[in-house]
Every structure is written in C-alpha cells, then in structure tokens.
Amino acid sequence: MLPDDREQYEIARERYINFLRKARVSFNHPNGWSIFLRRTSESPEGREAFKAYLLQKKLSQASGAKIDRLWELIQLHQGDRMLVFTQDNEMAYRIGRIFLLPVLTHHTKLPEREAFLKAFRTGEYPILVTSKVLNEGVDVPDANVGVIVSGSGSIREHVQRLGRILRARPGKQAMLYELVSENTGELFTNQRRRKHRAYEGTAVLPNQSGQNYSEIN
Amino acid sequence: MIKVFSGSVGQVREKLEEATKQVLDVFPGNAVVGRGLEKLLLDRTEFDTETKTELADFREKVFFHSSALLKGKGKVGLRGFREGEPGYLLNYQNEIAQNIGVSGGDLERQLYGDLPPFQQVLRFRKMSAKGLLHRYNCAQIQGLLLRCEAMTIRLPDSGAARLRQLLKYLRFNKLLCRISRNRDHEKSLVLKIDGPLSMFLNTQKYGFNLANFFPAILHQPSWELDAEVMMRKNQLHSLYLDQACGIISHYRQFLSYVPEEIALFSQQLSKNLPSWQLTSSSDYVPLIGESLCFPDYLLTHNSGKKVALELFHTWHAAPLRNRLQQLDEQNEFPLLIGVNRSLLKNAELANQVESSPYFSRFGFYFREVPTAAKIIPLLEEWIKE
C-alpha cells in the first residue's frame, strides 16, 4: 500500500473496529453481518463507522500500489493473453481508464460484449478486465495469465476464476497472480478463498521490482 | 430529498447521487428508511440509458491502439516503469491519445462516459412529501406480499364501480382468485388470492403482480386483508390490515383507463368484424354451484346479443381445470374461453382441454394476447346458437 493510502486505511479501520467493540458486534455470530448493518443504520456514529468500513475495504482492495503492480505484470506478460479480475465494477473501470483497456461488466451492452470476447478470442485484444460477469456461465476464450486484483473470500468464485485460465491444452503453462495488500484485512479474505487443493504446491516468484508473486502452474 | 430530485433534470446520475448522499448523511431517522425513500424517488426518475454508438466506436479505436502497444507494436517498446523510461505509464497513455487525436485527460474521461454514473436525468415525476410517505408505507406491505402463501380480502360493502376497478386490476395482474358472495349479505364479497409461494413456476413474476395489485385494494371504501407471509428462516407470520391503516394509494382511480393490449385487440376486432364491439367486462356470469365467474371481456353484437370472454394465463392451470369441468357439465354456453398455450406443457391439462366438448366449440388458444382471427369463427358459431 502507498503511504497515503496506508494512513487513511489505518484511521478508517480503527474507527470501524472501535465501533464493532462498542456495539458488541461479532462476525463469528451467524447473523453478525446483518446485526452490523442494523447497528450502523441506527445512529450517526454507526453511519460513520459504516463509511469507515467501506473506505478501509476499498483502500485495501483498490490501493494505488495495486495499479503500479498491475502495470508491471502487464509489461512482464507482453505477448500473453491476460484476464484481470476485480471485486467491483468501480475498480474494473478504474483499471480500464488508466490502462485504456476493454472492461466487461453487467453494464456492457450485448453487441460490445460480444465484440470484446471475440477480439480477445482472436488475440486482437491481449487483455480483458472484468468484475464478476465472467465468474460463471460465459464462454470465455482461452487465457494463460490471470490477475486477481481483488475478490471475495468465496472459494467457489475463486475456483471459477481459476478455471478461466487453467483450461488444459498440451504444452500450456498458465499463471495466476493475486494482488493482496500487505497487513490488511484483505489477507484473511485471500487465505479463506485459497482453501482449495489447486493451491497445493504454490511457489513464490520475485519480480522486477522485488515484490513476491505466488505462482500456480 | 424531493427538492433534490426535482432539480436534477439535465444533471448526470453521479451528481444526483452526490446530492442525495448529503441529504441522507443528515437524515434524522433510521438510515434504512432514508435509503428506502431515495429508492422510491429513483424509481420515479428516468435516465438516458440509450446506447451511445459513437462512444462504442471511440472505444474500439482506443483499444485498437492500446492493444497494438501492449503487443509491442508501438513506436517504443513497453519497458521500464519510471519517468523517462519508455514503459512509463504516462508515455503509454500519451502515445495512444496522440494516435486518437485527443488529450490524455479527455481520453480517460470519455472512454467509459456512457456508464450509469454519467447518464443524464431526463424526467422526474414529482410528488408531495406526504405522497412519498404513503408510497413508502405501501411499499412496506408490497415487500411482504412478495413472499406470501395466500391472501384473503373481504369487501363488506363495495359499490359496483369500485369493485369493477378492483377486478380490472386483478385481471391485469393475471392473479389466481376465487371470488364468493356472502349469502347473508348481498354486497359482501370474499376474494381468495393465491400467493407466489404457492406457485410452481415464475414465482417471482407472480409475486410482483400480487404486489402491484395491493395499491388497488386501498381504493376500496372498506376492506380487510389477511395474508400468510413467509419471513426469514421460513417462519410463517400473519399479516392483517384494513382500511384503518390509512395508507393512500398512489394508483389513480382510472375508471376509463384501457390497457394498450385491450385497445389493440379491440381495434383489430372492429376492423375485421365491425358487427361486434369489445369492452372490458364489468359483471359476473353465474355458473353451476355457488361459483361466480368474472370474465375478462364482454363482446356485444349489433343485435344486442352479448357474450363474455374469459382468458386463462400461465398460472391458471387449476382454475382452467375447474372451469372446463363446470362448462362441460352444464348445458348452456355462458362464455368463450381462451387458453394460453404455455398451459399445454402440462400433459394432463392439455389432454383435458383437447377432449373437452365445450372447448372444442367455444374455446381457442393464444400466445401473448388473443387475436381477432381466433375469435371470429367462435363468434359466428355463437350467433348461430
């Protein structure tokens, strides 16, 4: 995380955690999330805490540092076919605007959606950015690099995303990168979704800027 | 909040949402209520959602150039990340902007300029603050009805005109309803309406139709509603309401309103068969036993002869079964019946329809709406009888 993002993240997270303690909300409770939503809607302090919750989540999932890392990966994988996944549309379009890339979300109208998929399939577009629309049910062309910029803790969603790049083909080697903000709540989310046997035997690769990337092949 | 929405015409959605957020931030009550009010006002707001083909063309051009660079076909390769290096992000963005002929900033702004946050507000249907609160309360009940098993409405004393209006809404929403009259009290009616949770197919659509019907009940001078509602964790609760709840319907009294499909059907019929006139039916047809049939339309011949028409839609399998049984048993021809073809997916029912002597003479099939071509031969047969 960049220093500015980190500072804002810490303030917002502290406000949100303090509210959880004060309101005695525990996410271990089966209805923890709905209790949290109810409590935060009952008072101005609660609303502030909810905003703080959203902000710290957004900062960890969509930090400026992730944009920098993504640019490195794009350069590293010139000539590859890459799918970039995000948790929400906002981040998908932010990436699309910065790197001038096609973005596929539920807002994409059918003719354009078909055109994007076709261009990606033929190799005309080497990169496609998407939020959740490609998780299932869409016939996505073959990709050999996947980058998860942000995602939920759902194993199912994660395995579907993995499946998009791990389609077996003789001689194919696929890579999946997950960008996770260090020392944030995102790390737990990342660990939750990795409870799958596909992760047995992952390795850590250093890259050009000295960052570590987990690799699955 | 209403003031914010009223002044939003011409603005983009993002600006409207920023302004409503400011109002919601200082909303004195529960934030969920505030967001509910905002949602109801958004429902009354029309945005420009038309596809902007020029932006899709613009994107195609941009992606053509960005893809070329990303595949290493640019003037400079994509190498290095820092300022001064060829792969510096700004260099990449500027090269594409130059190829397109716009500035880097414009390129970033315009690229996805047709997303919902940038859609323009075209219209807002104004309402009063009081009207909004009534609409909110009405929506609370509608939300519960989306998950109801069954609903009973008692109308102790409804005049013919208001009752007609209620029955129109019942038909427009294609609801399954059994209507009976209280023997001791001529004017008292009981309507038993099946809920979405008792359906096997299209449950959600049926639920919306039932919810859409509720505001029509509010127009009745006196009424009682009982419903079995499924709440979270599958607990069944009872909902009871009567006219004392004080909610005012946002539906207009529309005694003269004719839905488009009926108008079209009527036009078609008068063009092909000028001796007949189609109107929406306002009276009931007594059938054998205690039951009453409230048909959909009334067809009046120049000679003054009248015949009622009842339509059976996707959800009406059970009523169709009963109706065919009744009609086959009685020796009169009280009405014509139209059956939506989707009902024939049920093999047993299809068999009953095919083998019904009554249906073979006075019945017809339709897809979305009935057509004049299907009805004309039946009317000719009717006149003969």
Side-chain angles (χ1 to χ4, degrees):
Chain A
M1 222 181 238
L2 301 174
D4 275 1
D5 288 348
R6 170 62 68 185
E7 195 183 337
Q8 279 192 68
Y9 172 85
E10 296 296 348
I11 294 169
R13 189 155 176 94
E14 196 183 341
R15 182 172 288 170
Y16 149 65
I17 299 286
N18 283 346
F19 179 81
L20 288 183
R21 284 201 192 107
K22 202 175 155 192
R24 294 193 179 169
V25 177
S26 164
F27 288 127
N28 291 329
H29 188 280
N31 291 333
W33 176 246
S34 32
I35 296 170
F36 172 64
L37 285 182
R38 202 172 58 238
R39 295 274 159 81
T40 52
S41 65
E42 287 167 349
S43 64
E45 188 195 358
R47 269 175 250 170
E48 285 304 316
F50 188 69
K51 274 194 221 161
Y53 159 76
L54 290 178
L55 180 65
Q56 57 91 35
K57 193 174 167 196
K58 189 175 161 185
L59 285 167
S60 62
Q61 290 191 337
S63 68
K66 285 193 180 183
I67 295 288
D68 294 347
R69 296 293 160 265
L70 182 59
W71 187 229
E72 289 176 15
L73 289 175
I74 289 172
Q75 295 198 20
L76 189 70
H77 285 283
Q78 263 193 46
D80 286 324
R81 195 118 11 125
M82 181 189 279
L83 281 172
V84 179
F85 298 97
T86 67
Q87 169 71 359
D88 52 38
N89 290 345
E90 195 185 338
M91 185 60 171
Y93 283 110
R94 191 171 146 205
I95 290 171
R97 279 199 196 94
I98 293 176
F99 301 118
L100 307 167
L101 295 173
V103 179
L104 207 73
T105 69
H106 72 275
H107 292 309
T108 316
K109 298 269 166 37
L110 192 65
E112 222 177 2
R113 183 192 182 102
E114 285 173 356
F116 285 179
L117 286 171
K118 190 179 164 202
F120 188 70
R121 192 175 288 126
T122 58
E124 192 187 329
Y125 294 167
I127 305 174
L128 198 58
V129 186
T130 176
S131 53
K132 288 194 169 188
V133 286
L134 294 190
N135 283 359
E136 57 185 310
V138 182
D139 180 26
V140 179
D142 210 9
N144 65 338
V145 180
V147 181
I148 295 179
V149 175
S150 52
S152 69
S154 151
I155 298 174
R156 181 191 160 93
E157 173 190 280
H158 196 58
V159 169
Q160 274 156 353
R161 288 178 165 187
L162 255 174
R164 294 303 184 193
I165 62 156
L166 289 184
R167 275 191 208 150
R169 196 165 27 85
K172 175 176 169 179
Q173 192 182 37
M175 309 270 285
L176 180 78
Y177 295 92
E178 295 178 69
L179 301 182
V180 181
S181 297
E182 217 169 9
N183 298 325
T184 68
E186 207 188 10
L187 198 63
F188 300 111
T189 313
N190 168 261
Q191 280 165 354
R192 254 202 338 264
R193 68 178 175 235
R194 291 176 59 136
K195 286 177 186 155
H196 192 266
R197 61 191 156 79
Y199 278 90
E200 287 164 13
T202 58
V204 175
L205 286 180
N207 84 324
Q208 299 176 30
S209 55
Q211 292 301 124
N212 290 333
Y213 293 126
S214 293
E215 178 207 27
I216 303 168
N217 48 34
Chain B
M1 189 81 94
I2 292 171
K3 218 184 264 178
V4 167
F5 273 86
S6 301
S8 70
V9 178
Q11 285 179 1
V12 292
R13 191 180 186 124
E14 197 177 35
K15 288 275 166 234
L16 170 66
E17 282 175 357
E18 268 169 31
T20 56
K21 195 172 164 290
Q22 282 180 9
V23 180
L24 286 174
D25 278 348
V26 292
F27 184 75
N30 189 311
V32 176
V33 178
R35 282 199 293 273
L37 295 171
E38 182 197 25
K39 160 80 175 70
L40 291 170
L41 292 173
L42 275 172
D43 286 348
R44 302 174 69 85
T45 313
E46 197 186 323
F47 294 94
D48 182 8
T49 54
E50 227 172 87
T51 315
K52 306 273 185 294
T53 46
E54 66 274 15
L55 270 181
D57 294 344
F58 178 72
R59 277 193 283 271
E60 201 184 335
K61 233 190 264 177
V62 173
F63 302 148
F64 170 80
H65 289 289
S66 66
S67 297
L69 278 185
L70 291 168
K71 287 190 278 188
K73 292 177 186 164
K75 279 185 232 155
V76 286
L78 281 189
R79 283 284 163 233
F81 311 97
R82 288 166 198 87
E83 201 167 348
E85 291 177 328
Y88 184 51
L89 186 57
L90 204 61
N91 292 348
Y92 163 83
Q93 290 166 334
N94 283 340
E95 188 167 338
I96 296 167
Q98 266 173 22
N99 287 333
I100 305 282
V102 294
S103 75
D106 281 350
L107 182 57
E108 204 179 316
R109 251 193 314 279
Q110 281 176 31
L111 190 63
Y112 289 106
D114 50 352
L115 287 175
F118 309 108
Q119 285 168 358
Q120 212 178 32
V121 177
L122 295 177
R123 260 175 293 281
F124 169 68
R125 284 184 288 132
K126 281 186 189 164
M127 73 189 316
S128 66
K130 206 172 164 185
L132 176 59
L133 292 181
H134 280 299
R135 180 70 196 88
Y136 182 87
N137 288 331
C138 182
Q140 296 300 302
I141 310 297
Q142 290 180 298
L144 292 172
L145 294 180
L146 287 175
R147 294 187 52 76
C148 96
E149 284 268 9
M151 176 165 105
T152 304
I153 304 158
R154 278 175 292 276
L155 304 166
D157 189 18
S158 277
R162 284 179 197 265
L163 191 61
R164 198 178 303 146
Q165 193 187 13
L166 189 72
L167 296 175
K168 262 190 190 177
Y169 273 110
L170 202 64
R171 280 190 221 105
F172 293 167
N173 289 302
K174 300 170 186 171
L175 299 177
L176 278 173
C177 180
R178 287 172 298 282
I179 305 170
S180 54
R181 196 174 278 278
N182 188 336
R183 277 192 201 162
D184 304 330
H185 189 6
E186 251 304 277
K187 283 188 165 178
S188 174
L189 278 187
V190 179
L191 280 67
K192 286 191 180 213
I193 303 174
D194 287 1
L197 296 191
S198 66
M199 299 286 137
F200 294 106
L201 68 157
N202 288 342
T203 310
Q204 205 176 9
K205 172 79 175 79
Y206 188 88
F208 278 121
N209 285 9
L210 185 66
N212 275 336
F213 171 67
F214 172 71
I217 303 171
L218 299 171
H219 280 314
Q220 297 298 312
S222 61
W223 55 273
E224 280 176 57
L225 180 153
D226 262 314
E228 298 285 313
V229 179
M230 191 78 84
M231 303 292 276
R232 63 170 75 96
K233 301 235 166 179
N234 294 342
Q235 298 161 336
L236 208 55
H237 290 259
S238 289
L239 169 72
Y240 175 84
L241 276 176
D242 59 25
Q243 74 278 359
C245 72
I247 305 172
I248 296 174
S249 176
H250 59 287
Y251 283 3
R252 285 193 189 149
Q253 300 263 16
F254 73 102
L255 298 177
S256 59
Y257 170 73
V258 180
E260 199 184 352
E261 59 186 59
I262 300 179
L264 220 69
F265 181 33
S266 177
Q267 266 173 26
Q268 237 191 43
L269 199 76
S270 63
K271 202 170 116 192
N272 295 305
L273 208 62
S275 50
W276 286 89
Q277 203 192 353
L278 180 97
T279 48
S280 152
S281 173
S282 58
D283 214 349
Y284 63 87
V285 176
L287 297 175
I288 54 168
E290 284 297 306
S291 67
L292 303 175
C293 158
F294 284 86
D296 296 72
Y297 303 116
L298 190 69
L299 289 137
T300 311
H301 190 249
N302 282 349
S303 63
K305 281 187 181 170
K306 288 178 181 181
V307 57
L309 166 61
E310 190 179 21
L311 299 178
F312 293 86
H313 297 278
T314 314
W315 296 296
H316 300 161
L320 174 61
R321 209 168 283 143
N322 293 338
R323 185 69 79 242
L324 285 173
Q325 216 170 349
Q326 286 171 328
L327 294 171
D328 281 335
E329 275 176 32
Q330 66 185 65
N331 284 325
E332 293 162 46
F333 317 113
L335 74 161
L336 305 180
I337 51 176
V339 172
N340 189 308
R341 282 195 176 275
S342 63
L343 284 162
L344 302 179
K345 283 179 199 154
N346 177 336
E348 201 187 317
L349 184 60
N351 197 24
Q352 195 188 346
V353 178
E354 286 297 330
S355 59
S356 158
Y358 194 94
F359 186 82
S360 66
R361 294 187 66 192
F362 298 116
F364 66 94
Y365 297 117
F366 66 94
R367 281 188 200 282
E368 295 296 318
V369 283
T371 56
K374 294 272 183 184
I375 300 209
I376 290 166
L378 298 184
L379 289 173
E380 283 165 355
E381 171 82 7
W382 182 276
I383 281 288
K384 265 197 261 164
E385 289 292 332

